[in-house]
PDB file of all heavy atoms in Angstrom:
ATOM      1  N   SER A  13       4.262  -5.480 -10.513  1.00  0.00           N
ATOM      2  CA  SER A  13       5.142  -4.719 -11.407  1.00  0.00           C
ATOM      3  C   SER A  13       5.163  -5.293 -12.812  1.00  0.00           C
ATOM      4  O   SER A  13       5.418  -4.576 -13.780  1.00  0.00           O
ATOM      5  CB  SER A  13       6.567  -4.666 -10.845  1.00  0.00           C
ATOM      6  OG  SER A  13       6.624  -3.816  -9.720  1.00  0.00           O
ATOM      7  N   ASP A  14       4.876  -6.587 -12.934  1.00  0.00           N
ATOM      8  CA  ASP A  14       4.825  -7.206 -14.263  1.00  0.00           C
ATOM      9  C   ASP A  14       3.739  -6.552 -15.125  1.00  0.00           C
ATOM     10  O   ASP A  14       3.896  -6.428 -16.345  1.00  0.00           O
ATOM     11  CB  ASP A  14       4.547  -8.704 -14.155  1.00  0.00           C
ATOM     12  CG  ASP A  14       5.662  -9.474 -13.443  1.00  0.00           C
ATOM     13  OD1 ASP A  14       6.771  -8.914 -13.320  1.00  0.00           O
ATOM     14  OD2 ASP A  14       5.418 -10.613 -13.014  1.00  0.00           O
ATOM     15  N   TYR A  15       2.651  -6.133 -14.488  1.00  0.00           N
ATOM     16  CA  TYR A  15       1.568  -5.480 -15.217  1.00  0.00           C
ATOM     17  C   TYR A  15       2.026  -4.136 -15.783  1.00  0.00           C
ATOM     18  O   TYR A  15       1.676  -3.767 -16.903  1.00  0.00           O
ATOM     19  CB  TYR A  15       0.358  -5.257 -14.305  1.00  0.00           C
ATOM     20  CG  TYR A  15      -0.422  -6.520 -13.982  1.00  0.00           C
ATOM     21  CD1 TYR A  15       0.112  -7.502 -13.165  1.00  0.00           C
ATOM     22  CD2 TYR A  15      -1.700  -6.707 -14.487  1.00  0.00           C
ATOM     23  CE1 TYR A  15      -0.591  -8.650 -12.856  1.00  0.00           C
ATOM     24  CE2 TYR A  15      -2.421  -7.852 -14.188  1.00  0.00           C
ATOM     25  CZ  TYR A  15      -1.867  -8.820 -13.382  1.00  0.00           C
ATOM     26  OH  TYR A  15      -2.570  -9.962 -13.093  1.00  0.00           O
ATOM     27  N   ILE A  16       2.825  -3.418 -14.989  1.00  0.00           N
ATOM     28  CA  ILE A  16       3.335  -2.125 -15.453  1.00  0.00           C
ATOM     29  C   ILE A  16       4.344  -2.324 -16.569  1.00  0.00           C
ATOM     30  O   ILE A  16       4.329  -1.597 -17.577  1.00  0.00           O
ATOM     31  CB  ILE A  16       3.968  -1.354 -14.276  1.00  0.00           C
ATOM     32  CG1 ILE A  16       2.928  -1.094 -13.183  1.00  0.00           C
ATOM     33  CG2 ILE A  16       4.568  -0.045 -14.755  1.00  0.00           C
ATOM     34  CD1 ILE A  16       1.740  -0.276 -13.635  1.00  0.00           C
ATOM     35  N   VAL A  17       5.215  -3.317 -16.417  1.00  0.00           N
ATOM     36  CA  VAL A  17       6.182  -3.623 -17.465  1.00  0.00           C
ATOM     37  C   VAL A  17       5.467  -3.957 -18.771  1.00  0.00           C
ATOM     38  O   VAL A  17       5.844  -3.470 -19.850  1.00  0.00           O
ATOM     39  CB  VAL A  17       7.100  -4.793 -17.025  1.00  0.00           C
ATOM     40  CG1 VAL A  17       7.876  -5.344 -18.222  1.00  0.00           C
ATOM     41  CG2 VAL A  17       8.054  -4.341 -15.932  1.00  0.00           C
ATOM     42  N   ARG A  18       4.433  -4.770 -18.677  1.00  0.00           N
ATOM     43  CA  ARG A  18       3.691  -5.153 -19.880  1.00  0.00           C
ATOM     44  C   ARG A  18       3.084  -3.941 -20.571  1.00  0.00           C
ATOM     45  O   ARG A  18       3.135  -3.805 -21.792  1.00  0.00           O
ATOM     46  CB  ARG A  18       2.595  -6.151 -19.496  1.00  0.00           C
ATOM     47  CG  ARG A  18       1.795  -6.689 -20.685  1.00  0.00           C
ATOM     48  CD  ARG A  18       0.841  -7.766 -20.215  1.00  0.00           C
ATOM     49  NE  ARG A  18      -0.103  -7.270 -19.242  1.00  0.00           N
ATOM     50  CZ  ARG A  18      -0.833  -8.052 -18.446  1.00  0.00           C
ATOM     51  NH1 ARG A  18      -0.691  -9.371 -18.506  1.00  0.00           N
ATOM     52  NH2 ARG A  18      -1.689  -7.522 -17.589  1.00  0.00           N
ATOM     53  N   GLU A  19       2.545  -3.003 -19.774  1.00  0.00           N
ATOM     54  CA  GLU A  19       1.926  -1.805 -20.351  1.00  0.00           C
ATOM     55  C   GLU A  19       2.977  -0.875 -20.951  1.00  0.00           C
ATOM     56  O   GLU A  19       2.762  -0.275 -22.018  1.00  0.00           O
ATOM     57  CB  GLU A  19       1.122  -1.072 -19.279  1.00  0.00           C
ATOM     58  CG  GLU A  19       0.323   0.120 -19.768  1.00  0.00           C
ATOM     59  CD  GLU A  19      -0.794  -0.249 -20.729  1.00  0.00           C
ATOM     60  OE1 GLU A  19      -1.279  -1.398 -20.680  1.00  0.00           O
ATOM     61  OE2 GLU A  19      -1.179   0.630 -21.540  1.00  0.00           O
ATOM     62  N   LEU A  20       4.123  -0.751 -20.295  1.00  0.00           N
ATOM     63  CA  LEU A  20       5.209   0.076 -20.840  1.00  0.00           C
ATOM     64  C   LEU A  20       5.714  -0.494 -22.158  1.00  0.00           C
ATOM     65  O   LEU A  20       5.964   0.240 -23.125  1.00  0.00           O
ATOM     66  CB  LEU A  20       6.352   0.167 -19.830  1.00  0.00           C
ATOM     67  CG  LEU A  20       6.091   0.999 -18.565  1.00  0.00           C
ATOM     68  CD1 LEU A  20       7.164   0.742 -17.526  1.00  0.00           C
ATOM     69  CD2 LEU A  20       6.028   2.492 -18.897  1.00  0.00           C
ATOM     70  N   GLU A  21       5.862  -1.816 -22.202  1.00  0.00           N
ATOM     71  CA  GLU A  21       6.324  -2.446 -23.445  1.00  0.00           C
ATOM     72  C   GLU A  21       5.278  -2.327 -24.551  1.00  0.00           C
ATOM     73  O   GLU A  21       5.617  -2.140 -25.726  1.00  0.00           O
ATOM     74  CB  GLU A  21       6.659  -3.919 -23.173  1.00  0.00           C
ATOM     75  CG  GLU A  21       7.909  -4.088 -22.314  1.00  0.00           C
ATOM     76  CD  GLU A  21       8.254  -5.540 -22.050  1.00  0.00           C
ATOM     77  OE1 GLU A  21       7.367  -6.416 -22.246  1.00  0.00           O
ATOM     78  OE2 GLU A  21       9.402  -5.817 -21.619  1.00  0.00           O
ATOM     79  N   LYS A  22       4.027  -2.409 -24.191  1.00  0.00           N
ATOM     80  CA  LYS A  22       2.944  -2.237 -25.160  1.00  0.00           C
ATOM     81  C   LYS A  22       3.013  -0.868 -25.818  1.00  0.00           C
ATOM     82  O   LYS A  22       2.727  -0.710 -27.003  1.00  0.00           O
ATOM     83  CB  LYS A  22       1.599  -2.423 -24.445  1.00  0.00           C
ATOM     84  CG  LYS A  22       0.368  -2.253 -25.316  1.00  0.00           C
ATOM     85  CD  LYS A  22      -0.885  -2.438 -24.470  1.00  0.00           C
ATOM     86  CE  LYS A  22      -2.141  -2.111 -25.259  1.00  0.00           C
ATOM     87  NZ  LYS A  22      -3.366  -2.246 -24.405  1.00  0.00           N
ATOM     88  N   ARG A  23       3.427   0.139 -25.051  1.00  0.00           N
ATOM     89  CA  ARG A  23       3.525   1.512 -25.571  1.00  0.00           C
ATOM     90  C   ARG A  23       4.919   1.835 -26.096  1.00  0.00           C
ATOM     91  O   ARG A  23       5.189   2.984 -26.476  1.00  0.00           O
ATOM     92  CB  ARG A  23       3.151   2.509 -24.479  1.00  0.00           C
ATOM     93  CG  ARG A  23       1.770   2.297 -23.886  1.00  0.00           C
ATOM     94  CD  ARG A  23       1.394   3.405 -22.921  1.00  0.00           C
ATOM     95  NE  ARG A  23       0.192   3.064 -22.161  1.00  0.00           N
ATOM     96  CZ  ARG A  23      -0.496   3.927 -21.426  1.00  0.00           C
ATOM     97  NH1 ARG A  23      -0.099   5.189 -21.347  1.00  0.00           N
ATOM     98  NH2 ARG A  23      -1.575   3.543 -20.758  1.00  0.00           N
ATOM     99  N   SER A  24       5.805   0.862 -26.071  1.00  0.00           N
ATOM    100  CA  SER A  24       7.198   1.043 -26.527  1.00  0.00           C
ATOM    101  C   SER A  24       7.896   2.163 -25.760  1.00  0.00           C
ATOM    102  O   SER A  24       8.652   2.956 -26.332  1.00  0.00           O
ATOM    103  CB  SER A  24       7.226   1.335 -28.041  1.00  0.00           C
ATOM    104  OG  SER A  24       6.675   0.258 -28.768  1.00  0.00           O
ATOM    105  N   LEU A  25       7.648   2.215 -24.457  1.00  0.00           N
ATOM    106  CA  LEU A  25       8.277   3.222 -23.605  1.00  0.00           C
ATOM    107  C   LEU A  25       9.521   2.625 -22.942  1.00  0.00           C
ATOM    108  O   LEU A  25       9.487   1.487 -22.461  1.00  0.00           O
ATOM    109  CB  LEU A  25       7.294   3.711 -22.538  1.00  0.00           C
ATOM    110  CG  LEU A  25       6.074   4.484 -23.055  1.00  0.00           C
ATOM    111  CD1 LEU A  25       5.066   4.697 -21.932  1.00  0.00           C
ATOM    112  CD2 LEU A  25       6.498   5.810 -23.668  1.00  0.00           C
ATOM    113  N   PRO A  26      10.616   3.368 -22.886  1.00  0.00           N
ATOM    114  CA  PRO A  26      11.843   2.852 -22.271  1.00  0.00           C
ATOM    115  C   PRO A  26      11.688   2.758 -20.752  1.00  0.00           C
ATOM    116  O   PRO A  26      11.146   3.671 -20.112  1.00  0.00           O
ATOM    117  CB  PRO A  26      12.899   3.899 -22.651  1.00  0.00           C
ATOM    118  CG  PRO A  26      12.115   5.161 -22.835  1.00  0.00           C
ATOM    119  CD  PRO A  26      10.777   4.752 -23.388  1.00  0.00           C
ATOM    120  N   TYR A  27      12.161   1.665 -20.161  1.00  0.00           N
ATOM    121  CA  TYR A  27      12.021   1.496 -18.716  1.00  0.00           C
ATOM    122  C   TYR A  27      13.205   0.703 -18.168  1.00  0.00           C
ATOM    123  O   TYR A  27      13.921   0.021 -18.903  1.00  0.00           O
ATOM    124  CB  TYR A  27      10.711   0.781 -18.364  1.00  0.00           C
ATOM    125  CG  TYR A  27      10.701  -0.681 -18.719  1.00  0.00           C
ATOM    126  CD1 TYR A  27      11.121  -1.656 -17.805  1.00  0.00           C
ATOM    127  CD2 TYR A  27      10.301  -1.116 -19.988  1.00  0.00           C
ATOM    128  CE1 TYR A  27      11.138  -2.999 -18.133  1.00  0.00           C
ATOM    129  CE2 TYR A  27      10.314  -2.462 -20.328  1.00  0.00           C
ATOM    130  CZ  TYR A  27      10.728  -3.396 -19.387  1.00  0.00           C
ATOM    131  OH  TYR A  27      10.752  -4.724 -19.731  1.00  0.00           O
ATOM    132  N   TYR A  28      13.355   0.788 -16.854  1.00  0.00           N
ATOM    133  CA  TYR A  28      14.352  -0.011 -16.147  1.00  0.00           C
ATOM    134  C   TYR A  28      13.678  -0.519 -14.883  1.00  0.00           C
ATOM    135  O   TYR A  28      13.192   0.267 -14.067  1.00  0.00           O
ATOM    136  CB  TYR A  28      15.579   0.835 -15.794  1.00  0.00           C
ATOM    137  CG  TYR A  28      16.771   0.041 -15.295  1.00  0.00           C
ATOM    138  CD1 TYR A  28      17.876  -0.171 -16.107  1.00  0.00           C
ATOM    139  CD2 TYR A  28      16.786  -0.494 -14.005  1.00  0.00           C
ATOM    140  CE1 TYR A  28      18.975  -0.895 -15.654  1.00  0.00           C
ATOM    141  CE2 TYR A  28      17.872  -1.219 -13.543  1.00  0.00           C
ATOM    142  CZ  TYR A  28      18.961  -1.415 -14.377  1.00  0.00           C
ATOM    143  OH  TYR A  28      20.048  -2.141 -13.940  1.00  0.00           O
ATOM    144  N   ARG A  29      13.638  -1.838 -14.731  1.00  0.00           N
ATOM    145  CA  ARG A  29      13.108  -2.436 -13.509  1.00  0.00           C
ATOM    146  C   ARG A  29      14.277  -2.746 -12.597  1.00  0.00           C
ATOM    147  O   ARG A  29      15.122  -3.593 -12.916  1.00  0.00           O
ATOM    148  CB  ARG A  29      12.315  -3.705 -13.823  1.00  0.00           C
ATOM    149  CG  ARG A  29      11.839  -4.434 -12.570  1.00  0.00           C
ATOM    150  CD  ARG A  29      10.892  -5.563 -12.893  1.00  0.00           C
ATOM    151  NE  ARG A  29      10.519  -6.288 -11.684  1.00  0.00           N
ATOM    152  CZ  ARG A  29       9.461  -7.083 -11.569  1.00  0.00           C
ATOM    153  NH1 ARG A  29       8.658  -7.255 -12.617  1.00  0.00           N
ATOM    154  NH2 ARG A  29       9.191  -7.700 -10.436  1.00  0.00           N
ATOM    155  N   LEU A  30      14.327  -2.061 -11.467  1.00  0.00           N
ATOM    156  CA  LEU A  30      15.398  -2.263 -10.506  1.00  0.00           C
ATOM    157  C   LEU A  30      14.859  -3.080  -9.338  1.00  0.00           C
ATOM    158  O   LEU A  30      14.063  -2.596  -8.534  1.00  0.00           O
ATOM    159  CB  LEU A  30      15.928  -0.918 -10.000  1.00  0.00           C
ATOM    160  CG  LEU A  30      17.002  -0.963  -8.912  1.00  0.00           C
ATOM    161  CD1 LEU A  30      18.215  -1.770  -9.362  1.00  0.00           C
ATOM    162  CD2 LEU A  30      17.418   0.450  -8.500  1.00  0.00           C
ATOM    163  N   ASN A  31      15.274  -4.346  -9.258  1.00  0.00           N
ATOM    164  CA  ASN A  31      14.931  -5.218  -8.133  1.00  0.00           C
ATOM    165  C   ASN A  31      15.995  -5.011  -7.060  1.00  0.00           C
ATOM    166  O   ASN A  31      17.146  -5.433  -7.222  1.00  0.00           O
ATOM    167  CB  ASN A  31      14.877  -6.674  -8.584  1.00  0.00           C
ATOM    168  CG  ASN A  31      13.792  -6.911  -9.625  1.00  0.00           C
ATOM    169  OD1 ASN A  31      12.677  -6.408  -9.500  1.00  0.00           O
ATOM    170  ND2 ASN A  31      14.117  -7.667 -10.663  1.00  0.00           N
ATOM    171  N   SER A  32      15.612  -4.359  -5.995  1.00  0.00           N
ATOM    172  CA  SER A  32      16.606  -3.828  -5.055  1.00  0.00           C
ATOM    173  C   SER A  32      17.451  -4.900  -4.394  1.00  0.00           C
ATOM    174  O   SER A  32      18.592  -4.637  -4.004  1.00  0.00           O
ATOM    175  CB  SER A  32      15.910  -2.987  -3.981  1.00  0.00           C
ATOM    176  OG  SER A  32      14.944  -3.765  -3.302  1.00  0.00           O
ATOM    177  N   GLU A  33      16.936  -6.137  -4.267  1.00  0.00           N
ATOM    178  CA  GLU A  33      17.748  -7.165  -3.615  1.00  0.00           C
ATOM    179  C   GLU A  33      18.994  -7.503  -4.425  1.00  0.00           C
ATOM    180  O   GLU A  33      19.978  -8.022  -3.892  1.00  0.00           O
ATOM    181  CB  GLU A  33      16.917  -8.436  -3.355  1.00  0.00           C
ATOM    182  CG  GLU A  33      16.401  -9.131  -4.596  1.00  0.00           C
ATOM    183  CD  GLU A  33      14.996  -8.717  -4.960  1.00  0.00           C
ATOM    184  OE1 GLU A  33      14.728  -7.507  -4.992  1.00  0.00           O
ATOM    185  OE2 GLU A  33      14.175  -9.608  -5.216  1.00  0.00           O
ATOM    186  N   ASN A  34      18.966  -7.187  -5.722  1.00  0.00           N
ATOM    187  CA  ASN A  34      20.111  -7.496  -6.589  1.00  0.00           C
ATOM    188  C   ASN A  34      21.157  -6.382  -6.630  1.00  0.00           C
ATOM    189  O   ASN A  34      22.166  -6.505  -7.340  1.00  0.00           O
ATOM    190  CB  ASN A  34      19.623  -7.759  -8.017  1.00  0.00           C
ATOM    191  CG  ASN A  34      18.787  -9.016  -8.108  1.00  0.00           C
ATOM    192  OD1 ASN A  34      19.008  -9.969  -7.374  1.00  0.00           O
ATOM    193  ND2 ASN A  34      17.805  -9.015  -9.001  1.00  0.00           N
ATOM    194  N   LEU A  35      20.930  -5.320  -5.899  1.00  0.00           N
ATOM    195  CA  LEU A  35      21.825  -4.163  -5.970  1.00  0.00           C
ATOM    196  C   LEU A  35      23.299  -4.523  -5.719  1.00  0.00           C
ATOM    197  O   LEU A  35      24.187  -4.048  -6.446  1.00  0.00           O
ATOM    198  CB  LEU A  35      21.360  -3.089  -4.987  1.00  0.00           C
ATOM    199  CG  LEU A  35      21.852  -1.666  -5.212  1.00  0.00           C
ATOM    200  CD1 LEU A  35      21.502  -1.170  -6.615  1.00  0.00           C
ATOM    201  CD2 LEU A  35      21.260  -0.732  -4.155  1.00  0.00           C
ATOM    202  N   PRO A  36      23.622  -5.386  -4.733  1.00  0.00           N
ATOM    203  CA  PRO A  36      25.037  -5.712  -4.505  1.00  0.00           C
ATOM    204  C   PRO A  36      25.694  -6.481  -5.654  1.00  0.00           C
ATOM    205  O   PRO A  36      26.919  -6.621  -5.666  1.00  0.00           O
ATOM    206  CB  PRO A  36      24.997  -6.571  -3.231  1.00  0.00           C
ATOM    207  CG  PRO A  36      23.754  -6.152  -2.533  1.00  0.00           C
ATOM    208  CD  PRO A  36      22.773  -5.898  -3.629  1.00  0.00           C
ATOM    209  N   ASN A  37      24.893  -6.981  -6.593  1.00  0.00           N
ATOM    210  CA  ASN A  37      25.467  -7.664  -7.758  1.00  0.00           C
ATOM    211  C   ASN A  37      25.742  -6.705  -8.912  1.00  0.00           C
ATOM    212  O   ASN A  37      26.207  -7.113  -9.976  1.00  0.00           O
ATOM    213  CB  ASN A  37      24.511  -8.759  -8.244  1.00  0.00           C
ATOM    214  CG  ASN A  37      24.276  -9.823  -7.195  1.00  0.00           C
ATOM    215  OD1 ASN A  37      25.209 -10.235  -6.512  1.00  0.00           O
ATOM    216  ND2 ASN A  37      23.034 -10.251  -7.035  1.00  0.00           N
ATOM    217  N   SER A  38      25.445  -5.440  -8.695  1.00  0.00           N
ATOM    218  CA  SER A  38      25.619  -4.438  -9.743  1.00  0.00           C
ATOM    219  C   SER A  38      26.898  -3.640  -9.515  1.00  0.00           C
ATOM    220  O   SER A  38      27.569  -3.779  -8.488  1.00  0.00           O
ATOM    221  CB  SER A  38      24.413  -3.493  -9.757  1.00  0.00           C
ATOM    222  OG  SER A  38      24.374  -2.727  -8.558  1.00  0.00           O
ATOM    223  N   LYS A  39      27.213  -2.795 -10.476  1.00  0.00           N
ATOM    224  CA  LYS A  39      28.289  -1.819 -10.334  1.00  0.00           C
ATOM    225  C   LYS A  39      27.639  -0.445 -10.251  1.00  0.00           C
ATOM    226  O   LYS A  39      26.800  -0.101 -11.099  1.00  0.00           O
ATOM    227  CB  LYS A  39      29.244  -1.870 -11.523  1.00  0.00           C
ATOM    228  CG  LYS A  39      29.946  -3.209 -11.715  1.00  0.00           C
ATOM    229  CD  LYS A  39      30.839  -3.561 -10.525  1.00  0.00           C
ATOM    230  CE  LYS A  39      31.581  -4.874 -10.775  1.00  0.00           C
ATOM    231  NZ  LYS A  39      32.375  -5.286  -9.591  1.00  0.00           N
ATOM    232  N   VAL A  40      27.996   0.322  -9.234  1.00  0.00           N
ATOM    233  CA  VAL A  40      27.397   1.638  -9.069  1.00  0.00           C
ATOM    234  C   VAL A  40      28.474   2.711  -9.092  1.00  0.00           C
ATOM    235  O   VAL A  40      29.634   2.457  -8.771  1.00  0.00           O
ATOM    236  CB  VAL A  40      26.589   1.748  -7.760  1.00  0.00           C
ATOM    237  CG1 VAL A  40      25.474   0.692  -7.711  1.00  0.00           C
ATOM    238  CG2 VAL A  40      27.496   1.626  -6.545  1.00  0.00           C
ATOM    239  N   SER A  41      28.055   3.901  -9.482  1.00  0.00           N
ATOM    240  CA  SER A  41      28.980   5.034  -9.456  1.00  0.00           C
ATOM    241  C   SER A  41      28.181   6.319  -9.272  1.00  0.00           C
ATOM    242  O   SER A  41      26.996   6.389  -9.627  1.00  0.00           O
ATOM    243  CB  SER A  41      29.809   5.114 -10.737  1.00  0.00           C
ATOM    244  OG  SER A  41      28.972   5.370 -11.859  1.00  0.00           O
ATOM    245  N   PHE A  42      28.837   7.312  -8.712  1.00  0.00           N
ATOM    246  CA  PHE A  42      28.224   8.634  -8.533  1.00  0.00           C
ATOM    247  C   PHE A  42      29.275   9.711  -8.732  1.00  0.00           C
ATOM    248  O   PHE A  42      30.399   9.600  -8.235  1.00  0.00           O
ATOM    249  CB  PHE A  42      27.621   8.779  -7.141  1.00  0.00           C
ATOM    250  CG  PHE A  42      27.192  10.195  -6.828  1.00  0.00           C
ATOM    251  CD1 PHE A  42      25.946  10.663  -7.228  1.00  0.00           C
ATOM    252  CD2 PHE A  42      28.061  11.073  -6.171  1.00  0.00           C
ATOM    253  CE1 PHE A  42      25.566  11.975  -6.966  1.00  0.00           C
ATOM    254  CE2 PHE A  42      27.693  12.379  -5.904  1.00  0.00           C
ATOM    255  CZ  PHE A  42      26.434  12.833  -6.312  1.00  0.00           C
ATOM    256  N   THR A  43      28.921  10.738  -9.480  1.00  0.00           N
ATOM    257  CA  THR A  43      29.694  11.975  -9.520  1.00  0.00           C
ATOM    258  C   THR A  43      28.689  13.120  -9.425  1.00  0.00           C
ATOM    259  O   THR A  43      27.529  12.979  -9.846  1.00  0.00           O
ATOM    260  CB  THR A  43      30.510  12.124 -10.821  1.00  0.00           C
ATOM    261  OG1 THR A  43      29.602  12.259 -11.940  1.00  0.00           O
ATOM    262  CG2 THR A  43      31.422  10.926 -11.037  1.00  0.00           C
ATOM    263  N   PRO A  44      29.099  14.259  -8.849  1.00  0.00           N
ATOM    264  CA  PRO A  44      28.174  15.387  -8.751  1.00  0.00           C
ATOM    265  C   PRO A  44      27.639  15.851 -10.103  1.00  0.00           C
ATOM    266  O   PRO A  44      26.520  16.366 -10.189  1.00  0.00           O
ATOM    267  CB  PRO A  44      29.024  16.471  -8.084  1.00  0.00           C
ATOM    268  CG  PRO A  44      30.068  15.721  -7.317  1.00  0.00           C
ATOM    269  CD  PRO A  44      30.373  14.519  -8.163  1.00  0.00           C
ATOM    270  N   ASP A  45      28.416  15.682 -11.170  1.00  0.00           N
ATOM    271  CA  ASP A  45      27.974  16.118 -12.493  1.00  0.00           C
ATOM    272  C   ASP A  45      26.985  15.147 -13.128  1.00  0.00           C
ATOM    273  O   ASP A  45      26.007  15.568 -13.757  1.00  0.00           O
ATOM    274  CB  ASP A  45      29.175  16.282 -13.431  1.00  0.00           C
ATOM    275  CG  ASP A  45      30.092  17.401 -12.995  1.00  0.00           C
ATOM    276  OD1 ASP A  45      29.592  18.352 -12.355  1.00  0.00           O
ATOM    277  OD2 ASP A  45      31.297  17.322 -13.274  1.00  0.00           O
ATOM    278  N   LEU A  46      27.218  13.845 -12.958  1.00  0.00           N
ATOM    279  CA  LEU A  46      26.431  12.838 -13.665  1.00  0.00           C
ATOM    280  C   LEU A  46      25.417  12.128 -12.790  1.00  0.00           C
ATOM    281  O   LEU A  46      24.528  11.440 -13.284  1.00  0.00           O
ATOM    282  CB  LEU A  46      27.365  11.804 -14.311  1.00  0.00           C
ATOM    283  CG  LEU A  46      28.364  12.361 -15.337  1.00  0.00           C
ATOM    284  CD1 LEU A  46      29.283  11.233 -15.822  1.00  0.00           C
ATOM    285  CD2 LEU A  46      27.635  13.006 -16.504  1.00  0.00           C
ATOM    286  N   GLY A  47      25.533  12.276 -11.462  1.00  0.00           N
ATOM    287  CA  GLY A  47      24.618  11.601 -10.569  1.00  0.00           C
ATOM    288  C   GLY A  47      24.913  10.107 -10.467  1.00  0.00           C
ATOM    289  O   GLY A  47      26.031   9.652 -10.745  1.00  0.00           O
ATOM    290  N   TRP A  48      23.900   9.330 -10.058  1.00  0.00           N
ATOM    291  CA  TRP A  48      24.062   7.896  -9.849  1.00  0.00           C
ATOM    292  C   TRP A  48      23.910   7.115 -11.143  1.00  0.00           C
ATOM    293  O   TRP A  48      23.035   7.408 -11.957  1.00  0.00           O
ATOM    294  CB  TRP A  48      23.039   7.377  -8.839  1.00  0.00           C
ATOM    295  CG  TRP A  48      23.386   7.699  -7.428  1.00  0.00           C
ATOM    296  CD1 TRP A  48      22.831   8.664  -6.640  1.00  0.00           C
ATOM    297  CD2 TRP A  48      24.382   7.056  -6.625  1.00  0.00           C
ATOM    298  NE1 TRP A  48      23.412   8.672  -5.405  1.00  0.00           N
ATOM    299  CE2 TRP A  48      24.362   7.685  -5.355  1.00  0.00           C
ATOM    300  CE3 TRP A  48      25.283   6.009  -6.845  1.00  0.00           C
ATOM    301  CZ2 TRP A  48      25.218   7.309  -4.325  1.00  0.00           C
ATOM    302  CZ3 TRP A  48      26.129   5.625  -5.812  1.00  0.00           C
ATOM    303  CH2 TRP A  48      26.087   6.274  -4.572  1.00  0.00           C
ATOM    304  N   LYS A  49      24.738   6.074 -11.279  1.00  0.00           N
ATOM    305  CA  LYS A  49      24.600   5.105 -12.362  1.00  0.00           C
ATOM    306  C   LYS A  49      24.662   3.706 -11.779  1.00  0.00           C
ATOM    307  O   LYS A  49      25.466   3.438 -10.878  1.00  0.00           O
ATOM    308  CB  LYS A  49      25.709   5.270 -13.409  1.00  0.00           C
ATOM    309  CG  LYS A  49      25.515   6.438 -14.348  1.00  0.00           C
ATOM    310  CD  LYS A  49      26.517   6.376 -15.504  1.00  0.00           C
ATOM    311  CE  LYS A  49      26.259   7.495 -16.509  1.00  0.00           C
ATOM    312  NZ  LYS A  49      27.162   7.407 -17.678  1.00  0.00           N
TER     313      LYS A  49
END
Side-chain angles (χ1 to χ4, degrees):
S13 288
D14 296 343
Y15 286 70
I16 300 300
V17 166
R18 183 174 61 196
E19 185 65 25
L20 289 167
E21 290 180 343
K22 179 181 173 182
R23 303 186 191 192
S24 299
L25 294 170
Y27 72 91
Y28 191 105
R29 175 172 177 161
L30 176 57
N31 297 317
S32 58
E33 63 265 48
N34 293 328
L35 199 56
N37 299 319
S38 66
K39 299 297 183 184
V40 302
S41 65
F42 170 85
T43 66
D45 294 332
L46 300 176
W48 283 104
K49 283 190 176 183

